[in-house]
Amino acid sequence: MSKLQTRSLLLDVSENIQLWQWLESKELELVFNVGLGYKRSYQSDDVGRFASILVTHGRFADHSAALEAINARLVS
């Protein structure tokens, strides 16, 4: 039987992009709403990778700004 986990919204980056943190595992999940009810998501515990993705998608000017925004919201 699978165990339920709770996640917390860290950043509502845009209407179509949210960054979540799974509270038990501390993993991050980046969710893209790609339209028509479909979503694409990436899970990892690598904060730097998600910062790079957010910079690539133009949500932050540079890697350090993205890292700072994510780290400030992480649930310990």
Side-chain angles (χ1 to χ4, degrees):
M1 183 184 307
S2 64
K3 191 162 117 178
L4 293 177
Q5 287 193 53
T6 303
R7 64 183 184 169
S8 174
L9 181 63
L10 295 182
L11 287 172
D12 196 6
V13 180
S14 74
E15 184 178 311
N16 298 319
I17 302 173
Q18 291 93 30
L19 181 63
W20 297 83
Q21 181 182 18
W22 291 95
L23 298 180
E24 186 173 296
S25 67
K26 303 299 183 206
E27 269 197 352
L28 299 176
E29 180 178 20
L30 190 60
V31 178
F32 293 88
N33 180 355
V34 293
L36 299 173
Y38 292 99
K39 295 184 180 189
R40 173 172 285 164
S41 69
Y42 304 94
Q43 286 184 315
S44 176
D45 60 356
D46 184 355
V47 176
R49 178 168 183 247
F50 287 114
S52 295
I53 292 170
L54 293 174
V55 170
T56 300
H57 284 276
R59 303 303 174 199
F60 289 92
D62 57 51
H63 193 262
S64 63
L67 273 176
E68 187 176 310
I70 293 169
N71 285 326
R73 291 166 177 83
L74 288 176
V75 177
S76 49

